[in-house]
Coordinates of all heavy atoms in Angstrom, one line a residue:
M1 N 0.8 -1.2 0.0 CA 0.0 0.0 0.0 C 0.9 1.3 0.0 O 1.9 1.3 0.7 CB -0.9 0.0 1.2 CG -1.9 1.1 1.2 SD -3.0 1.1 2.6 CE -4.1 -0.2 2.1
K2 N 0.5 2.2 -0.8 CA 1.3 3.5 -0.9 C 1.0 4.4 0.3 O 0.0 4.3 0.9 CB 0.9 4.2 -2.2 CG 1.3 3.4 -3.4 CD 1.0 4.2 -4.7 CE 1.4 3.4 -5.9 NZ 1.0 4.1 -7.1
I3 N 2.0 5.2 0.6 CA 1.9 6.1 1.8 C 0.7 7.0 1.6 O 0.0 7.2 2.7 CB 3.2 6.9 2.0 CG1 3.1 7.7 3.3 CG2 3.4 7.9 0.8 CD1 3.2 6.9 4.5
G4 N 0.3 7.5 0.5 CA -0.8 8.3 0.3 C -2.1 7.6 0.7 O -3.0 8.2 1.3
E5 N -2.2 6.3 0.2 CA -3.4 5.6 0.6 C -3.5 5.3 2.1 O -4.6 5.4 2.7 CB -3.3 4.2 -0.1 CG -3.4 4.3 -1.6 CD -3.0 3.0 -2.3 OE1 -2.5 2.1 -1.7 OE2 -3.3 2.9 -3.6
I6 N -2.4 5.1 2.7 CA -2.4 4.9 4.2 C -2.9 6.2 4.9 O -3.7 6.1 5.8 CB -1.0 4.5 4.7 CG1 -0.6 3.1 4.2 CG2 -0.9 4.5 6.2 CD1 0.9 2.7 4.4
L7 N -2.3 7.3 4.5 CA -2.7 8.6 5.1 C -4.2 8.9 4.8 O -4.9 9.4 5.7 CB -1.8 9.7 4.5 CG -0.3 9.6 4.9 CD1 0.5 10.7 4.2 CD2 -0.2 9.7 6.4
L8 N -4.7 8.6 3.7 CA -6.1 8.7 3.4 C -7.0 7.8 4.3 O -7.9 8.3 4.9 CB -6.4 8.4 1.9 CG -6.1 9.5 0.9 CD1 -6.4 9.0 -0.5 CD2 -7.0 10.7 1.1
R9 N -6.6 6.6 4.4 CA -7.4 5.6 5.2 C -7.4 6.1 6.7 O -8.4 5.9 7.4 CB -6.8 4.2 5.1 CG -7.2 3.5 3.9 CD -6.9 2.0 4.0 NE -7.4 1.4 2.8 CZ -7.2 0.1 2.6 NH1 -6.6 -0.6 3.5 NH2 -7.7 -0.4 1.5
R10 N -6.3 6.6 7.1 CA -6.2 7.0 8.5 C -6.8 8.5 8.7 O -6.7 9.0 9.8 CB -4.8 7.0 9.1 CG -4.3 5.6 9.1 CD -2.9 5.5 9.8 NE -2.5 4.1 9.8 CZ -1.4 3.7 10.4 NH1 -0.6 4.6 11.0 NH2 -1.0 2.5 10.4
Q11 N -7.3 9.0 7.7 CA -7.9 10.4 7.6 C -6.9 11.4 8.1 O -7.3 12.4 8.8 CB -9.2 10.4 8.4 CG -10.2 9.5 7.8 CD -11.5 9.4 8.6 OE1 -11.6 9.8 9.7 NE2 -12.5 9.0 7.9
V12 N -5.6 11.3 7.8 CA -4.6 12.2 8.2 C -4.6 13.4 7.2 O -4.4 14.5 7.5 CB -3.2 11.6 8.2 CG1 -2.1 12.6 8.5 CG2 -3.2 10.5 9.3
I13 N -4.9 13.0 5.9 CA -5.0 14.0 4.8 C -6.3 13.7 4.0 O -6.9 12.7 4.1 CB -3.8 14.0 3.9 CG1 -3.7 12.6 3.2 CG2 -2.5 14.3 4.6 CD1 -2.6 12.5 2.1
S14 N -6.7 14.8 3.3 CA -7.8 14.6 2.4 C -7.4 14.2 1.0 O -6.2 14.3 0.7 CB -8.6 16.0 2.3 OG -7.8 16.9 1.7
Q15 N -8.3 13.9 0.2 CA -8.1 13.5 -1.2 C -7.4 14.7 -1.9 O -6.5 14.5 -2.7 CB -9.3 13.0 -1.9 CG -9.1 12.5 -3.3 CD -8.4 11.2 -3.4 OE1 -8.6 10.3 -2.5 NE2 -7.6 11.0 -4.3
S16 N -8.0 15.8 -1.7 CA -7.4 17.0 -2.4 C -6.0 17.4 -1.9 O -5.1 17.8 -2.7 CB -8.3 18.3 -2.2 OG -8.4 18.6 -0.9
Q17 N -5.7 17.2 -0.7 CA -4.3 17.4 -0.2 C -3.3 16.3 -0.8 O -2.2 16.7 -1.2 CB -4.3 17.2 1.3 CG -4.9 18.4 2.1 CD -5.0 18.2 3.5 OE1 -5.4 17.1 4.0 NE2 -4.7 19.2 4.3
L18 N -3.8 15.1 -1.0 CA -3.0 14.1 -1.6 C -2.7 14.5 -3.0 O -1.6 14.4 -3.5 CB -3.6 12.7 -1.5 CG -2.9 11.6 -2.2 CD1 -1.5 11.4 -1.6 CD2 -3.7 10.3 -2.1
K19 N -3.7 14.9 -3.8 CA -3.6 15.2 -5.2 C -2.6 16.4 -5.3 O -1.7 16.4 -6.2 CB -4.9 15.6 -5.8 CG -5.8 14.5 -6.1 CD -7.1 14.9 -6.8 CE -8.0 13.7 -7.0 NZ -9.2 14.1 -7.7
E20 N -2.7 17.4 -4.4 CA -1.8 18.6 -4.4 C -0.4 18.1 -4.2 O 0.6 18.6 -4.9 CB -2.2 19.6 -3.4 CG -1.4 20.9 -3.5 CD -1.8 21.9 -2.4 OE1 -3.0 21.8 -1.9 OE2 -1.0 22.8 -2.1
A21 N -0.2 17.3 -3.2 CA 1.2 16.8 -2.9 C 1.8 16.0 -4.0 O 3.0 16.2 -4.4 CB 1.2 15.9 -1.6
I22 N 1.0 15.2 -4.7 CA 1.5 14.4 -5.8 C 1.8 15.4 -7.0 O 2.9 15.2 -7.7 CB 0.5 13.3 -6.3 CG1 0.4 12.2 -5.2 CG2 0.8 12.8 -7.7 CD1 -0.8 11.3 -5.4
N23 N 1.0 16.3 -7.2 CA 1.2 17.3 -8.2 C 2.6 18.1 -8.0 O 3.4 18.2 -8.9 CB 0.1 18.3 -8.3 CG -0.3 18.7 -9.7 OD1 0.1 18.1 -10.6 ND2 -1.1 19.7 -9.8
I24 N 2.8 18.5 -6.8 CA 4.0 19.2 -6.5 C 5.2 18.3 -6.7 O 6.3 18.6 -7.2 CB 4.0 19.7 -5.0 CG1 3.0 20.9 -4.9 CG2 5.4 20.2 -4.5 CD1 2.7 21.3 -3.5
Q25 N 5.1 17.0 -6.2 CA 6.2 16.1 -6.3 C 6.6 15.8 -7.7 O 7.8 15.6 -8.0 CB 5.8 14.8 -5.6 CG 6.9 13.7 -5.6 CD 6.5 12.5 -4.9 OE1 5.9 12.6 -3.8 NE2 6.8 11.3 -5.4
T26 N 5.6 15.7 -8.6 CA 5.9 15.2 -10.0 C 6.2 16.3 -11.0 O 6.7 16.1 -12.0 CB 4.7 14.4 -10.5 OG1 3.5 15.1 -10.5 CG2 4.6 13.1 -9.7
S27 N 5.9 17.6 -10.6 CA 5.9 18.6 -11.6 C 7.0 19.7 -11.3 O 7.0 20.7 -11.9 CB 4.6 19.4 -11.7 OG 4.3 20.0 -10.5
M28 N 8.0 19.4 -10.5 CA 9.0 20.3 -10.1 C 9.9 20.6 -11.3 O 10.4 19.7 -11.9 CB 9.8 19.8 -8.9 CG 10.7 20.9 -8.4 SD 11.5 20.4 -6.8 CE 10.2 20.8 -5.7
K29 N 10.1 21.8 -11.6 CA 11.0 22.2 -12.7 C 12.4 22.3 -12.3 O 12.7 22.4 -11.2 CB 10.5 23.6 -13.2 CG 9.1 23.6 -13.8 CD 8.7 25.0 -14.2 CE 7.3 25.0 -14.8 NZ 6.8 26.3 -15.2
M30 N 13.3 22.3 -13.4 CA 14.7 22.3 -13.1 C 15.2 23.4 -12.3 O 15.9 23.2 -11.3 CB 15.4 22.3 -14.5 CG 16.9 22.4 -14.4 SD 17.7 21.0 -13.6 CE 17.1 19.7 -14.7
G31 N 14.7 24.6 -12.5 CA 15.1 25.8 -11.7 C 14.7 25.6 -10.3 O 15.4 26.0 -9.4
E32 N 13.5 25.1 -10.0 CA 13.0 24.9 -8.7 C 13.9 23.9 -7.9 O 14.2 24.0 -6.8 CB 11.6 24.4 -8.7 CG 10.6 25.4 -9.2 CD 9.2 24.8 -9.4 OE1 9.1 23.6 -9.8 OE2 8.2 25.5 -9.3
I33 N 14.3 22.8 -8.6 CA 15.2 21.8 -8.0 C 16.5 22.4 -7.7 O 17.0 22.2 -6.6 CB 15.3 20.6 -9.0 CG1 14.0 19.8 -9.2 CG2 16.4 19.6 -8.5 CD1 14.0 18.8 -10.3
L34 N 17.1 23.1 -8.6 CA 18.4 23.7 -8.3 C 18.3 24.8 -7.2 O 19.2 24.9 -6.4 CB 19.0 24.3 -9.6 CG 19.4 23.3 -10.7 CD1 19.6 24.0 -12.0 CD2 20.6 22.5 -10.2
L35 N 17.2 25.5 -7.1 CA 17.0 26.5 -6.0 C 16.9 25.7 -4.7 O 17.6 26.1 -3.7 CB 15.8 27.3 -6.2 CG 15.8 28.5 -7.1 CD1 14.5 29.1 -7.3 CD2 16.8 29.5 -6.5
R36 N 16.1 24.7 -4.7 CA 15.9 23.9 -3.4 C 17.2 23.3 -2.9 O 17.5 23.2 -1.7 CB 14.8 22.9 -3.6 CG 14.3 22.2 -2.3 CD 13.4 21.1 -2.6 NE 13.8 20.1 -3.5 CZ 14.8 19.2 -3.3 NH1 15.4 19.2 -2.2 NH2 15.1 18.3 -4.2
R37 N 18.0 22.9 -3.9 CA 19.3 22.3 -3.5 C 20.4 23.4 -3.2 O 21.5 23.0 -2.9 CB 19.8 21.4 -4.7 CG 19.1 20.2 -4.9 CD 19.5 19.4 -6.1 NE 18.9 18.1 -6.2 CZ 19.6 17.0 -6.1 NH1 20.9 17.0 -6.1 NH2 19.0 15.8 -6.1
Q38 N 20.0 24.6 -3.3 CA 20.9 25.8 -3.1 C 22.1 25.8 -4.0 O 23.2 26.2 -3.5 CB 21.3 25.8 -1.6 CG 20.1 25.9 -0.7 CD 20.4 26.0 0.8 OE1 21.5 25.6 1.2 NE2 19.5 26.5 1.6
V39 N 21.9 25.4 -5.2 CA 23.0 25.4 -6.2 C 23.0 26.7 -6.9 O 24.1 27.2 -7.2 CB 22.8 24.2 -7.2 CG1 23.9 24.3 -8.3 CG2 22.8 22.9 -6.5
I40 N 21.9 27.4 -7.1 CA 21.7 28.7 -7.7 C 20.9 29.5 -6.7 O 20.2 29.0 -5.9 CB 21.1 28.6 -9.1 CG1 19.7 28.0 -9.1 CG2 22.1 27.9 -10.1 CD1 19.0 28.2 -10.4
S41 N 21.0 30.9 -7.0 CA 20.2 31.8 -6.2 C 18.9 32.2 -7.1 O 18.9 31.9 -8.3 CB 21.0 33.1 -5.9 OG 21.3 33.8 -7.1
Q42 N 18.0 32.8 -6.4 CA 16.8 33.3 -7.1 C 17.1 34.3 -8.2 O 16.6 34.2 -9.3 CB 15.8 33.9 -6.1 CG 14.5 34.3 -6.6 CD 13.6 33.1 -7.1 OE1 13.5 32.1 -6.3 NE2 13.1 33.1 -8.2
S43 N 18.1 35.1 -7.9 CA 18.5 36.2 -8.9 C 19.2 35.5 -10.1 O 19.0 35.9 -11.3 CB 19.4 37.2 -8.3 OG 20.6 36.7 -7.8
Q44 N 20.0 34.5 -9.9 CA 20.6 33.7 -11.0 C 19.5 33.1 -11.8 O 19.6 33.1 -13.1 CB 21.6 32.7 -10.5 CG 22.9 33.3 -9.9 CD 23.8 32.3 -9.3 OE1 23.3 31.4 -8.6 NE2 25.1 32.4 -9.5
L45 N 18.6 32.4 -11.2 CA 17.5 31.8 -11.9 C 16.7 32.8 -12.8 O 16.5 32.6 -14.0 CB 16.5 31.1 -11.0 CG 15.3 30.4 -11.6 CD1 15.8 29.4 -12.7 CD2 14.4 29.8 -10.6
K46 N 16.4 33.9 -12.2 CA 15.6 35.0 -12.9 C 16.5 35.4 -14.1 O 15.9 35.6 -15.2 CB 15.3 36.1 -12.0 CG 14.5 37.2 -12.7 CD 14.2 38.4 -11.8 CE 13.5 39.5 -12.4 NZ 13.7 39.8 -13.8
E47 N 17.7 35.7 -13.9 CA 18.6 36.2 -15.0 C 18.7 35.1 -16.1 O 18.6 35.4 -17.3 CB 20.0 36.5 -14.5 CG 20.9 37.2 -15.5 CD 22.2 37.6 -15.0 OE1 22.4 37.8 -13.7 OE2 23.1 37.8 -15.8
A48 N 18.9 33.8 -15.7 CA 19.0 32.8 -16.7 C 17.7 32.6 -17.5 O 17.8 32.4 -18.7 CB 19.3 31.5 -16.0
I49 N 16.6 32.8 -16.8 CA 15.3 32.7 -17.6 C 15.2 33.8 -18.6 O 14.7 33.6 -19.7 CB 14.1 32.6 -16.6 CG1 14.1 31.3 -15.9 CG2 12.8 32.8 -17.3 CD1 13.1 31.1 -14.7
D50 N 15.6 35.0 -18.1 CA 15.6 36.2 -19.1 C 16.4 36.0 -20.3 O 16.1 36.2 -21.4 CB 16.0 37.5 -18.3 CG 15.0 37.9 -17.3 OD1 13.8 37.5 -17.3 OD2 15.3 38.7 -16.4
I51 N 17.7 35.4 -20.0 CA 18.6 35.1 -21.1 C 18.1 34.0 -22.0 O 18.2 34.1 -23.2 CB 20.0 34.8 -20.6 CG1 20.6 35.9 -19.8 CG2 20.9 34.3 -21.7 CD1 21.8 35.6 -19.0
Q52 N 17.5 33.0 -21.4 CA 17.0 31.8 -22.1 C 16.0 32.2 -23.2 O 16.0 31.5 -24.2 CB 16.4 30.9 -21.1 CG 16.0 29.5 -21.6 CD 15.3 28.7 -20.6 OE1 14.7 29.2 -19.7 NE2 15.4 27.4 -20.8
T53 N 15.2 33.2 -23.0 CA 14.2 33.5 -24.0 C 14.8 33.9 -25.4 O 14.3 33.7 -26.4 CB 13.3 34.6 -23.5 OG1 14.0 35.8 -23.2 CG2 12.4 34.2 -22.4
S54 N 16.0 34.5 -25.3 CA 16.6 34.9 -26.6 C 17.7 33.9 -27.1 O 18.0 33.9 -28.3 CB 17.3 36.3 -26.4 OG 18.4 36.2 -25.4
M55 N 18.2 33.1 -26.2 CA 19.2 32.2 -26.6 C 18.7 30.8 -27.1 O 19.4 30.0 -27.7 CB 20.3 32.0 -25.6 CG 21.1 33.2 -25.4 SD 22.5 33.0 -24.3 CE 23.6 32.0 -25.3
H56 N 17.5 30.4 -26.7 CA 16.9 29.2 -27.0 C 17.7 28.0 -26.5 O 17.9 27.0 -27.3 CB 16.6 29.1 -28.5 CG 15.8 30.2 -29.0 ND1 14.4 30.5 -28.6 CD2 16.1 31.3 -29.7 CE1 14.0 31.6 -29.2 NE2 15.0 32.1 -29.9
L57 N 18.2 28.0 -25.3 CA 19.0 26.9 -24.7 C 18.1 26.3 -23.6 O 17.3 27.0 -23.0 CB 20.3 27.4 -24.1 CG 21.4 27.9 -25.1 CD1 22.5 28.5 -24.2 CD2 21.9 26.7 -25.9
K58 N 18.4 25.1 -23.2 CA 17.8 24.5 -22.0 C 18.3 25.2 -20.8 O 19.5 25.6 -20.9 CB 18.0 23.0 -22.0 CG 17.3 22.3 -23.1 CD 17.5 20.8 -23.0 CE 16.7 20.1 -24.1 NZ 16.9 18.6 -24.0
L59 N 17.6 25.3 -19.8 CA 18.0 26.0 -18.6 C 19.3 25.5 -18.0 O 20.2 26.2 -17.7 CB 16.9 26.0 -17.5 CG 17.2 26.8 -16.3 CD1 17.4 28.3 -16.6 CD2 16.2 26.6 -15.2
G60 N 19.4 24.2 -17.9 CA 20.6 23.6 -17.4 C 21.8 23.9 -18.2 O 22.9 24.2 -17.7
E61 N 21.7 23.9 -19.5 CA 22.8 24.2 -20.4 C 23.2 25.6 -20.2 O 24.4 25.9 -20.2 CB 22.4 24.0 -21.9 CG 22.1 22.5 -22.2 CD 21.5 22.3 -23.6 OE1 21.0 23.3 -24.2 OE2 21.6 21.2 -24.1
L62 N 22.3 26.5 -20.1 CA 22.6 27.9 -19.9 C 23.3 28.2 -18.6 O 24.2 28.9 -18.5 CB 21.3 28.7 -20.0 CG 21.4 30.2 -19.8 CD1 22.3 30.9 -20.8 CD2 20.0 30.9 -19.9
L63 N 22.8 27.5 -17.6 CA 23.4 27.7 -16.3 C 24.9 27.2 -16.2 O 25.7 27.9 -15.6 CB 22.6 27.0 -15.2 CG 21.2 27.6 -14.9 CD1 20.4 26.7 -14.0 CD2 21.4 29.0 -14.2
M64 N 25.1 26.1 -16.9 CA 26.5 25.7 -17.1 C 27.3 26.6 -17.9 O 28.5 26.9 -17.6 CB 26.5 24.3 -17.6 CG 26.2 23.2 -16.7 SD 26.7 21.5 -17.2 CE 26.4 21.5 -18.9
F65 N 26.8 27.1 -19.0 CA 27.5 28.1 -19.9 C 27.8 29.3 -19.1 O 28.9 29.9 -19.3 CB 26.5 28.4 -21.1 CG 27.1 29.4 -22.0 CD1 28.1 29.0 -22.9 CD2 26.7 30.7 -22.0 CE1 28.6 30.0 -23.8 CE2 27.2 31.7 -22.9 CZ 28.2 31.3 -23.8
Q66 N 27.0 29.8 -18.2 CA 27.2 31.0 -17.4 C 28.3 30.6 -16.3 O 28.7 31.6 -15.7 CB 25.9 31.5 -16.7 CG 24.9 32.1 -17.7 CD 25.4 33.4 -18.3 OE1 25.8 33.4 -19.4 NE2 25.3 34.4 -17.5
G67 N 28.5 29.4 -16.0 CA 29.5 29.0 -15.0 C 28.8 29.0 -13.6 O 29.5 28.9 -12.6
W68 N 27.5 28.9 -13.5 CA 26.8 29.0 -12.3 C 26.6 27.6 -11.7 O 26.3 27.5 -10.5 CB 25.5 29.7 -12.4 CG 25.6 31.2 -12.7 CD1 26.7 31.9 -12.4 CD2 24.7 32.0 -13.3 NE1 26.5 33.3 -12.8 CE2 25.3 33.3 -13.4 CE3 23.4 31.9 -13.8 CZ2 24.6 34.4 -13.9 CZ3 22.8 33.0 -14.4 CH2 23.4 34.2 -14.4
I69 N 26.6 26.6 -12.5 CA 26.5 25.2 -12.0 C 27.5 24.3 -12.7 O 28.1 24.7 -13.7 CB 25.1 24.6 -12.2 CG1 24.8 24.4 -13.7 CG2 24.0 25.4 -11.5 CD1 23.5 23.6 -14.0
Q70 N 27.9 23.2 -12.1 CA 28.8 22.3 -12.6 C 28.0 21.1 -13.3 O 26.8 20.9 -13.0 CB 29.7 21.7 -11.5 CG 30.5 22.7 -10.8 CD 31.4 23.4 -11.7 OE1 32.2 22.8 -12.5 NE2 31.4 24.8 -11.7
P71 N 28.6 20.4 -14.2 CA 27.9 19.3 -14.8 C 27.3 18.3 -13.9 O 26.2 17.8 -14.1 CB 29.0 18.6 -15.7 CG 30.0 19.7 -16.0 CD 30.0 20.6 -14.7
E72 N 28.0 18.0 -12.7 CA 27.4 17.1 -11.8 C 26.2 17.7 -11.1 O 25.3 16.9 -10.7 CB 28.5 16.7 -10.7 CG 29.1 17.8 -10.0 CD 30.4 18.3 -10.6 OE1 30.7 18.0 -11.8 OE2 31.1 19.1 -9.9
N73 N 26.1 19.0 -10.9 CA 24.9 19.6 -10.4 C 23.7 19.4 -11.3 O 22.6 19.0 -10.9 CB 25.0 21.1 -10.2 CG 26.2 21.5 -9.3 OD1 27.0 22.4 -9.6 ND2 26.2 20.9 -8.1
L74 N 23.9 19.5 -12.6 CA 22.9 19.3 -13.6 C 22.5 17.9 -13.7 O 21.3 17.5 -13.7 CB 23.4 19.8 -15.0 CG 22.4 19.6 -16.1 CD1 21.1 20.3 -15.9 CD2 23.0 20.1 -17.4
E75 N 23.5 17.0 -13.6 CA 23.2 15.6 -13.7 C 22.3 15.1 -12.5 O 21.3 14.4 -12.7 CB 24.5 14.8 -13.7 CG 24.3 13.3 -13.8 CD 25.6 12.5 -13.8 OE1 26.6 13.1 -14.2 OE2 25.6 11.3 -13.3
E76 N 22.7 15.6 -11.3 CA 21.9 15.2 -10.1 C 20.5 15.8 -10.2 O 19.5 15.1 -9.8 CB 22.5 15.7 -8.8 CG 23.8 14.9 -8.5 CD 23.5 13.4 -8.3 OE1 22.5 13.1 -7.6 OE2 24.2 12.6 -8.8
A77 N 20.4 17.1 -10.7 CA 19.0 17.7 -10.8 C 18.2 17.0 -11.9 O 17.0 16.8 -11.7 CB 19.2 19.2 -11.1
L78 N 18.8 16.6 -13.0 CA 18.1 15.8 -14.0 C 17.6 14.5 -13.5 O 16.5 14.0 -13.8 CB 18.9 15.6 -15.2 CG 19.1 16.9 -16.1 CD1 20.3 16.6 -17.1 CD2 17.8 17.3 -16.8
K79 N 18.4 13.8 -12.7 CA 18.0 12.5 -12.1 C 16.8 12.8 -11.2 O 15.8 12.0 -11.2 CB 19.1 11.9 -11.2 CG 20.2 11.3 -12.0 CD 21.2 10.7 -11.1 CE 22.5 10.2 -11.8 NZ 23.5 9.8 -10.8
E80 N 16.9 13.8 -10.3 CA 15.8 14.1 -9.4 C 14.5 14.4 -10.2 O 13.4 13.9 -9.9 CB 16.1 15.2 -8.5 CG 14.9 15.6 -7.6 CD 15.2 16.7 -6.6 OE1 16.4 16.9 -6.2 OE2 14.3 17.3 -6.1
Q81 N 14.6 15.2 -11.2 CA 13.5 15.5 -12.1 C 12.9 14.3 -12.7 O 11.6 14.1 -12.7 CB 13.9 16.5 -13.1 CG 12.7 17.1 -13.9 CD 13.2 18.2 -14.9 OE1 14.1 17.9 -15.7 NE2 12.6 19.3 -14.8
Y82 N 13.7 13.4 -13.2 CA 13.2 12.1 -13.8 C 12.5 11.3 -12.7 O 11.4 10.8 -12.9 CB 14.4 11.3 -14.4 CG 14.0 9.9 -14.8 CD1 13.4 9.8 -16.1 CD2 14.1 8.8 -14.0 CE1 13.0 8.5 -16.5 CE2 13.8 7.6 -14.4 CZ 13.2 7.4 -15.6 OH 12.8 6.2 -16.0
W83 N 13.1 11.2 -11.5 CA 12.5 10.4 -10.5 C 11.1 11.0 -10.0 O 10.2 10.2 -9.8 CB 13.4 10.3 -9.3 CG 14.7 9.5 -9.5 CD1 14.9 8.5 -10.4 CD2 15.9 9.6 -8.8 NE1 16.2 8.0 -10.4 CE2 16.8 8.7 -9.4 CE3 16.3 10.4 -7.8 CZ2 18.1 8.6 -8.9 CZ3 17.6 10.3 -7.3 CH2 18.5 9.4 -7.9
R84 N 11.1 12.3 -10.0 CA 9.8 12.9 -9.6 C 8.7 12.7 -10.6 O 7.6 12.3 -10.3 CB 10.0 14.4 -9.4 CG 10.7 14.8 -8.1 CD 10.9 16.3 -8.0 NE 11.5 16.7 -6.8 CZ 10.9 16.9 -5.7 NH1 9.6 16.7 -5.6 NH2 11.5 17.2 -4.6
Q85 N 9.1 12.9 -11.9 CA 8.1 12.7 -13.0 C 7.6 11.3 -13.1 O 6.5 11.1 -13.6 CB 8.7 13.2 -14.3 CG 8.9 14.7 -14.4 CD 9.7 15.1 -15.6 OE1 10.3 14.3 -16.3 NE2 9.7 16.4 -15.8
N86 N 8.4 10.3 -12.6 CA 8.0 8.9 -12.8 C 7.6 8.3 -11.4 O 7.4 7.1 -11.3 CB 9.2 8.1 -13.4 CG 9.4 8.5 -14.8 OD1 8.6 8.0 -15.7 ND2 10.3 9.3 -15.1
G87 N 7.3 9.2 -10.5 CA 6.7 8.8 -9.2 C 7.7 8.0 -8.3 O 7.2 7.4 -7.3
Y88 N 9.0 8.2 -8.5 CA 9.9 7.5 -7.6 C 10.4 8.3 -6.4 O 11.0 7.8 -5.5 CB 11.2 7.1 -8.4 CG 10.9 6.1 -9.5 CD1 11.3 6.4 -10.8 CD2 10.2 4.9 -9.3 CE1 11.0 5.6 -11.9 CE2 9.9 4.1 -10.4 CZ 10.3 4.4 -11.7 OH 10.1 3.6 -12.7
W89 N 10.2 9.6 -6.5 CA 10.7 10.5 -5.5 C 9.8 10.5 -4.3 O 8.6 10.7 -4.4 CB 10.8 12.0 -6.0 CG 11.7 12.8 -5.2 CD1 11.3 13.7 -4.3 CD2 13.1 12.9 -5.2 NE1 12.4 14.3 -3.7 CE2 13.5 13.8 -4.3 CE3 14.1 12.2 -5.9 CZ2 14.8 14.1 -4.0 CZ3 15.4 12.5 -5.6 CH2 15.8 13.4 -4.7
I90 N 10.3 10.2 -3.1 CA 9.5 10.0 -1.9 C 9.8 11.0 -0.9 O 9.0 11.7 -0.3 CB 9.6 8.6 -1.3 CG1 9.2 7.6 -2.4 CG2 8.8 8.4 -0.1 CD1 9.5 6.1 -2.0
I91 N 11.1 11.2 -0.6 CA 11.5 12.0 0.5 C 11.9 13.4 0.0 O 12.7 13.5 -1.0 CB 12.7 11.4 1.3 CG1 12.3 10.1 1.8 CG2 13.2 12.3 2.4 CD1 13.4 9.2 2.4
D92 N 11.5 14.4 0.6 CA 11.8 15.8 0.1 C 12.4 16.6 1.3 O 12.0 16.5 2.4 CB 10.5 16.4 -0.5 CG 10.9 17.5 -1.5 OD1 12.0 17.6 -1.9 OD2 10.0 18.2 -2.0

């Protein structure tokens, strides 16, 4: 039995709270992951997004190009994003 089902059965959370938590878990964007991991700052993310619109690069590529993240930072963030999107991410 999944943790969400257990929490629902025990009436610890509501169905809408579970849906919201699953949505947050599975839809985290690259910038949010890097911010949460404290790899980049909010101002770096904002600047990268502004630059990204004209350069047509993926955010991770742009952040590496700017020298704000290392390849291993991007690799770990991509793994986390994949795990989240496929329902494997449990602990946050």
Side-chain angles (χ1 to χ4, degrees):
M1 185 176 285
K2 294 180 181 178
I3 187 71
E5 294 168 346
I6 294 169
L7 294 172
L8 279 174
R9 279 193 179 179
R10 293 185 179 185
Q11 298 180 340
V12 175
I13 61 171
S14 67
Q15 184 71 36
S16 63
Q17 288 172 316
L18 177 59
K19 284 182 183 179
E20 183 179 341
I22 290 170
N23 222 10
I24 291 168
Q25 178 176 322
T26 59
S27 65
M28 192 172 277
K29 295 179 181 176
M30 177 62 59
E32 294 169 328
I33 292 170
L34 292 168
L35 275 175
R36 192 184 52 71
R37 289 174 169 243
Q38 300 179 339
V39 176
I40 60 170
S41 67
Q42 185 69 46
S43 62
Q44 287 172 319
L45 177 58
K46 184 185 178 323
E47 186 176 341
I49 290 171
D50 290 343
I51 295 169
Q52 187 182 25
T53 58
S54 63
M55 291 188 72
H56 307 291
L57 291 172
K58 292 182 178 182
L59 183 64
E61 293 170 341
L62 178 60
L63 290 167
M64 281 196 322
F65 179 76
Q66 291 292 102
W68 293 337
I69 66 171
Q70 299 300 311
E72 56 270 12
N73 300 130
L74 179 58
E75 183 179 332
E76 289 299 315
L78 285 168
K79 283 181 192 177
E80 179 176 335
Q81 191 176 49
Y82 172 82
W83 292 336
R84 285 178 177 278
Q85 289 171 347
N86 290 282
Y88 300 124
W89 198 259
I90 299 169
I91 302 169
D92 209 7

